[in-house]
Amino acid sequence: MHSSSPALVATLRALHGETDVHVVAPALDNPWFARIPALAPGVDPVVGALGALAGGLPDLLTPAVCAAPTLSAAIASLIGTEAGNRILPWWAGIAPAGWGADHADALIDAVRHHRCARWAAAALIGPCDASIALLTEPWDIAFVVRRWGQTTPDNPTAWIDSLTQTQRQQLLSMISSDSYTRASCLPWLPVEYAAEIAMRVDRIGDALDAYAGAPPIARTRHADILTALVRRAQPNNLTRLTRLAIATGMEAAWTESVEELHYAPDKAIDVVVTAPWDDIHAAVQTTMLSLARRSSVCAAIAYARGVRDQPPPITRETACAFFAAVTPTVWNMLPEATQRMWRSPLNAWNGHLVIRSLGITPAFLAHAELHAALVAAVRRHVADEGVVRWMLLPVAMSELSIAAVPSVVVALAEAPPDPVAFVQIAGDTQVTSRALHAWIAANPSLQATAAATTALLIAARLRDATVASRPPIDNVAARCAALAAAFAGWSSEDATALLAALPDDVRTTLHPGANALADALATPDRQDAFRKTLNALAALPPAAALPAFHALTVLVQTTNPLVQQEAGEGLAQALRDHGRIFAVIVGMLRDDVRAAIVPPPDAPSVESAINDLTIINPLVAHHLAYALRDADAAVALDALTASAPDTLTRIWGLLTEPLQQSVLGDREALLHDVAVPDGADMLAQALQNWVGEDNPLPWLALRMLLDADAERRTRGAALLAQRPDVAAALLPLLRNNVRAALESVPAIAFASADLPFAQTNAVVRVRRRRCSP
């Protein structure tokens, strides 16, 4: 099923200006969706800030935003929810001092219900008995002590004075007993404790990292300890040494780095990845360049700086070092083919290095992964936060599930200021064409932007999957759903103009030639007829034709049964309103391909019914055939959800009795799940009074109303809406979430409004009497 997910619906609400954080909470529970309101224009500031936290991008928030009472109240209201569970760990790293003290009971309760990490709650509550009781794991202790120290930068050991002598000894004992906590907590301890513990620190890198993140006063107080730690550093500590040297300007850290590089020159990659070239000490720069003959990494750095003519072999490691150090002059002198060779092995996680060194262009941002380092790299070149967000938004868009992309793009409050750049970045495409640039410039609407982005992104993900020899991120049915959404309402002429502007590989992915499809899929005696049918398919609206062609292309390329089933679903969904042409296509296919789309059932009567359904509703025919073949209750529910209300009884009758039972599950448990507390018996009696014991439809409706899939919930409400008067009378017997789903149906809402309160209560009282023993 590829209906609108709760996260997508909530994201669209946020983009339309929703201010109720509980309405948008499903988006906040998904980090990829959460990043969209964090970066998009026109979003409520509090919702945007929550999106940044939930999306793991707290660096987007300014100190003023973090201190805003409205944000504080919103986060407090989410404690104990799934969205809160995702937000609180990030909030714990930046929250104002003592924020959680007023919410201690709620935070501790959330920990008990697995809706908040222990360390996040302890850090937010602050030093006290309750927070110390939450700490058991070394990493948790280290994080909490660091945060307590960071909240008072002028006195980073003040937290220890907030504890009683017993609490202090308990926590210091916990710190001292583990090698990681000993190293990580050093800067936040009084000198007398730190000096004793430092002698037993064996995780030097963790200790150096801790001091790099500590305020200057902590490093001043612990100067002797820090100097001794630097002298004990090893080559594998170069990342931490560099971080420390950048944060402090400590000459001894740079000197130690030079010594370690002579021992392990390939570790130069840790230095250049950690810090921009111009921030690195001259002595360290000179050392790395001088080691080019001993190290391929240093050779890549020397080549990137223009002091070496011959490049080293291009590997993932040398490409990473190259882009961390390259100058725009050296890069621009390279032929395009050589540039592509250097970019090819660089993974998306390290894409920020290209931006950091060379600046912002769509080709560089395309295929970069969105994280804190990319945010920092973009900010090196752009001061305007509005521009920063427009640069990062299409990166976030490129990481969404493909089926969500069209609707999210169209829902933006305003068109991108540079639609050509937006499409290239969101489409994850480093090389486009002049024709496409011209088409986008001539068609700057959000609908056009969504269609071009979707087309490029589908091709990019298929290309990446081929290179990596792995399945694509999105399945066939999701890609077909995305194409249908992206081209909804388009004319064939407009779609043809876009297709003509796309790069050749993208166009072939979306709309291959009819000859190739006919030769590969149709039986030999029907290939000419199949070509004519494909011409008829091409004449359908693009929202049906393009996803259908894509599904057929996948059927040519794969022998994987699961992928074939997904392609069959995509084809059936695309041609759901064009059943006759679907039936003609399926009838001309080779037996094995036809069986992948609509597996033949064993019973002739059922086969005849499914054949009829291929014309009436191809998607139902597809799901029903697979449900019967595999005895799969989930797929049977897909078939029922896709059915029109007036045909649902017929579809239900085609299921085997065991399959029907599997779909509904335990009826008693279902009643308890949907009824108000202690109301299951009353609801059972009400349902029996309405339809009798043999009618499964109301039970099926209730089952659908509880489903995680939005389309199934909608179908369940529609089933009950066939009798809005009775459905309205059932409302007092249903739990709040189920009642809300029904009240969203206008017919039921109207019936409920017209139903006098006394009459509603009378219905309930009658049923109570009938349920009494």
Side-chain angles (χ1 to χ4, degrees):
M1 298 294 294
H2 293 282
S3 60
S4 297
S5 69
L8 173 57
V9 172
T11 301
L12 300 180
R13 294 288 295 271
L15 293 176
H16 289 140
E18 178 61 62
T19 59
D20 188 331
V21 297
H22 293 276
V23 171
V24 301
L28 304 176
D29 190 34
N30 182 305
W32 292 275
F33 279 109
R35 292 173 175 185
I36 302 301
L39 296 166
V43 174
D44 175 74
V46 171
V47 171
L50 294 173
L53 291 168
L57 299 173
D59 290 350
L60 291 175
L61 306 187
T62 64
V65 170
C66 292
T70 50
L71 178 61
S72 174
I75 295 174
S77 75
L78 292 170
I79 295 174
T81 67
E82 291 295 341
N85 194 22
R86 186 165 294 281
I87 288 169
L88 289 171
W90 295 101
W91 181 236
I94 60 172
W99 179 86
D102 292 338
H103 311 293
D105 291 342
L107 288 166
I108 292 170
D109 189 60
V111 170
R112 292 195 188 102
H113 291 89
H114 307 289
R115 296 292 177 87
C116 180
R118 289 174 168 271
W119 52 269
L124 290 166
I125 292 169
C128 64
D129 268 342
S131 55
I132 292 176
L134 295 171
L135 301 177
T136 56
E137 300 298 323
W139 190 93
D140 296 5
I141 297 168
F143 178 89
V144 169
V145 169
R146 180 171 71 250
R147 277 302 299 150
W148 288 349
Q150 287 174 335
T151 56
T152 54
D154 294 335
N155 186 9
T157 61
W159 63 270
I160 205 165
D161 297 328
S162 303
L163 302 176
T164 66
Q165 184 64 26
T166 301
Q167 294 167 345
R168 184 181 310 175
Q169 290 303 322
Q170 178 186 355
L171 189 53
L172 289 173
S173 175
M174 295 165 72
I175 292 171
S176 178
S177 64
D178 179 80
S179 61
Y180 176 73
T181 52
R182 284 197 299 270
S184 299
C185 294
L186 273 179
W188 321 106
L189 299 176
V191 175
E192 61 273 18
Y193 291 109
E196 187 275 327
I197 288 176
M199 293 186 293
R200 295 187 290 120
V201 166
D202 51 5
R203 299 181 62 138
I204 303 301
D206 292 325
L208 296 176
D209 229 11
Y211 279 105
I217 191 172
R219 295 190 289 263
T220 300
R221 290 175 178 175
H222 292 198
D224 292 341
I225 296 172
L226 182 54
T227 299
L229 288 169
V230 169
R231 289 173 182 162
R232 294 171 59 192
Q234 300 293 320
N236 62 357
N237 301 138
L238 270 166
T239 295
R240 273 65 176 271
L241 267 176
T242 303
R243 231 178 254 149
L244 177 66
I246 293 292
T248 66
M250 188 176 179
E251 195 71 24
W254 290 121
T255 301
E256 186 66 29
S257 297
V258 169
E259 293 185 17
E260 301 306 331
L261 284 169
H262 282 289
Y263 283 112
D266 279 352
K267 286 293 182 179
I269 192 172
D270 295 341
V271 178
V272 292
V273 167
T274 302
W277 182 262
D278 291 341
D279 293 349
I280 298 171
H281 195 285
V284 178
Q285 292 177 350
T286 301
T287 300
M288 292 188 289
L289 296 176
S290 69
L291 293 168
R293 292 187 178 181
R294 289 179 51 194
S295 159
S296 60
V297 168
C298 289
I301 294 170
Y303 183 69
R305 299 307 301 174
V307 300
R308 181 182 173 90
D309 294 332
Q310 294 299 316
I314 299 177
T315 65
R316 178 170 293 185
E317 188 175 43
T318 58
C320 190
F322 172 83
F323 281 112
V326 70
T327 69
T329 300
V330 169
W331 177 255
N332 292 332
M333 289 177 61
L334 296 177
E336 287 188 13
T338 305
Q339 290 179 346
R340 287 195 294 271
M341 290 171 63
W342 277 108
R343 292 220 51 186
S344 179
L346 191 72
N347 60 30
W349 177 262
N350 289 318
H352 69 282
L353 297 174
V354 187
I355 304 297
R356 193 183 74 183
S357 296
L358 299 176
I360 301 171
T361 68
F364 294 159
L365 276 173
H367 208 56
E369 190 165 327
L370 181 53
H371 46 60
L374 182 65
V375 177
V378 171
R379 282 177 171 160
R380 283 180 65 86
H381 304 283
V382 178
D384 187 315
E385 278 298 302
V387 176
V388 168
R389 289 168 189 258
W390 269 119
M391 290 288 97
L392 296 174
L393 176 60
V395 181
M397 203 76 71
S398 72
E399 296 176 350
L400 289 176
S401 58
I402 190 66
V405 169
S407 54
V408 172
V409 174
V410 171
L412 293 176
E414 58 189 76
D418 186 346
V420 173
F422 186 95
V423 168
Q424 183 172 356
I425 298 166
D428 198 9
T429 303
Q430 296 175 2
V431 180
T432 58
S433 64
R434 291 182 180 179
L436 180 58
H437 286 196
W439 185 90
I440 296 169
N443 298 273
S445 70
L446 286 170
Q447 290 75 14
T449 299
T453 296
T454 303
L456 291 180
L457 191 54
I458 286 174
R461 291 186 177 177
L462 290 173
R463 183 171 57 247
D464 290 346
T466 300
V467 171
S469 299
R470 58 164 172 75
I473 296 173
D474 304 293
N475 67 35
V476 192
R479 297 196 296 271
C480 290
L483 288 169
F487 287 91
W490 280 52
S491 69
S492 297
E493 293 76 12
D494 289 340
T496 300
L498 172 55
L499 289 173
L502 293 172
D504 291 343
D505 61 325
V506 179
R507 184 168 55 253
T508 302
T509 298
L510 299 180
H511 202 300
N515 288 337
L517 291 176
D519 293 344
L521 295 176
T523 57
D525 59 320
R526 294 184 174 180
Q527 289 178 357
D528 288 339
F530 193 72
R531 291 184 184 92
K532 293 179 181 179
T533 303
L534 292 180
N535 291 335
L537 176 60
L540 293 179
L546 288 177
F549 272 110
H550 180 58
L552 290 170
T553 303
V554 174
L555 287 168
V556 171
Q557 298 168 343
T558 187
T559 57
N560 183 308
L562 178 59
V563 178
Q564 289 178 327
Q565 180 177 355
E566 293 166 352
E569 179 183 348
L571 181 66
Q573 176 66 60
L575 299 178
R576 189 173 183 176
D577 297 326
H578 306 279
R580 292 193 178 279
I581 195 169
F582 175 82
V584 171
I585 288 174
V586 170
M588 292 183 178
L589 296 174
R590 298 193 325 259
D591 289 347
D592 58 320
V593 181
R594 183 167 60 253
I597 299 173
V598 184
D602 295 331
S605 59
V606 176
E607 183 175 15
S608 176
I610 289 178
N611 289 338
D612 292 341
L613 282 170
T614 59
I615 298 175
I616 300 170
N617 192 328
L619 188 60
V620 174
H622 165 81
H623 286 317
L624 179 60
Y626 268 101
L628 293 171
R629 190 197 72 176
D630 301 334
D632 190 322
V635 179
L637 197 54
D638 287 341
L640 294 163
T641 303
S643 303
D646 57 350
T647 63
L648 198 143
T649 302
R650 179 188 177 198
I651 305 304
W652 178 262
L654 293 172
L655 300 179
T656 63
E657 185 175 342
L659 197 50
Q660 291 176 348
Q661 293 173 351
S662 296
V663 168
L664 291 181
D666 187 313
R667 293 195 183 194
E668 184 174 345
L670 176 61
L671 286 170
H672 283 283
D673 287 339
V674 299
V676 295
D678 300 323
D681 290 341
M682 291 183 287
L683 181 58
Q685 187 65 54
L687 292 173
Q688 183 175 339
N689 291 344
W690 175 21
V691 296
E693 295 184 0
D694 297 330
N695 192 330
L697 292 188
W699 297 94
L700 182 59
L702 294 176
R703 163 70 181 82
M704 289 180 171
L705 284 168
L706 288 179
D707 203 275
D709 182 87
E711 188 173 346
R712 289 177 181 166
R713 294 197 302 274
T714 301
R715 175 62 69 209
L719 284 175
L720 289 180
Q722 293 180 69
R723 286 290 305 277
D725 56 330
V726 181
L730 294 178
L731 290 179
L733 300 173
L734 301 174
R735 291 184 184 271
N736 289 340
N737 60 323
V738 181
R739 184 164 62 247
L742 290 177
E743 288 176 336
S744 67
V745 180
I748 297 176
F750 291 144
S752 178
D754 292 339
L755 192 64
F757 183 77
Q759 180 182 345
T760 304
N761 283 342
V763 173
V764 177
R765 285 196 300 273
V766 167
R767 287 161 189 165
R768 281 184 182 140
R769 285 197 298 270
R770 289 178 180 174
C771 290
S772 299

